[in-house]
Amino acid sequence: RKEVEQDPGPFNVPEGATVAFNCTYSNSASQSFFWYRQDCRKEPKLLMSVYSSGNEDGRFTAQLNRASQYISLLIRDSKLSDSATYLCVVGGGSSASKIIFGSGTRLSIRP
Amino acid sequence: GAVVSQHPSWVICKSGTSVKIECRSLDFQATTMFWYRQFPKQSLMLMATSNEGSKATYEQGVEKDKFLINHASLTLSTLTVTSAHPEDSSFYICSAGRDSAIQYFGAGTRLSVL
């Protein structure tokens, strides 16, 4: 079993749609959780950290369920510019802790 | 936000040559940096953890004699791909964290070995 598993994708949705990504992780000792975005042939960039209380940043909402070891990302009112690969990332509690990437979910927004 | 600089961004080399990639934290000190490799349509795979002043920690299956890592200062880690072969062609990315678990990534180095 992979340490971090994501929806296989790809997702192809119309502009304005709401799309949800799911992710599960196997290490119950994990302490930090993130969603990163990666554009084609570019480095990953932090989209948002994920907390048990849930957090929202504009059109993006992330949720963490520690009991189920499950992370989600919701994108509302999707834009063409949201087209990218979304990476679920799980790690330890410090800058010295290695992080584990999910395989990524590719999202394509069509006009 | 924190900035991590990676150089070069793109390199083409002949089979058998060595290639050095630099990763610098520009506005913070990083005792730990990470090196990843990404093949087309795959996710990032951690290769090794670079520790300032000590030996790097390699992930299972990564040859330490082929991928030499040096972390001589708090702002610089280098990855040298020794005797590169076409199968080493990939996208190599480094990352560093400042004061939390958030990792900041370099722009990556695209290596093509002919």
Side-chain angles (χ1 to χ4, degrees), chain B residues 5-96:
Chain B
S5 173
Q6 188 172 339
H7 177 81
S9 57
W10 182 59
V11 60
I12 299 176
C13 69
K14 292 182 179 179
S15 185
T17 60
S18 294
V19 175
K20 179 185 281 189
I21 303 170
E22 293 186 348
C23 181
R24 294 180 185 275
S25 55
L26 297 185
D27 57 354
F28 65 101
Q29 295 182 330
T31 55
T32 303
M33 292 185 178
F34 299 94
W35 287 97
Y36 305 82
R37 181 167 54 182
Q38 185 176 34
F39 291 106
K41 298 187 178 181
Q42 295 185 26
S43 190
L44 279 75
M45 296 300 296
L46 179 65
M47 298 175 68
T49 303
S50 174
N51 304 299
E52 187 269 334
S54 65
K55 292 182 179 180
T57 304
Y58 290 82
E59 295 298 301
Q60 190 174 12
V62 178
E63 299 174 58
K64 62 179 182 180
D65 294 328
K66 180 165 185 65
F67 300 99
L68 300 179
I69 292 173
N70 184 282
H71 196 151
S73 78
L74 286 171
T75 59
L76 173 64
S77 174
T78 61
L79 168 69
T80 301
V81 183
T82 62
S83 186
H85 288 94
E87 59 267 28
D88 298 322
S89 299
S90 188
F91 189 47
Y92 293 85
I93 312 177
C94 67
S95 76

Side-chain angles (χ1 to χ4, degrees), chain A residues 2-4 9 12-14 23 28-29 31 39 55 58 62-63 66 71 73-74 79 83 90 95 98 101 107 110-111:
Chain A
K2 292 182 180 178
E3 290 188 68
V4 179
N12 188 314
V13 302
C23 169
S28 60
Q31 298 181 46
D39 293 291
N55 49 308
Q63 195 77 44
R66 282 188 179 270
I71 306 163
L73 175 68
L74 184 74
K79 311 292 183 188
S83 297
V90 174
S95 60
K98 61 182 181 182
F101 285 82
L107 173 65
R110 60 179 187 270

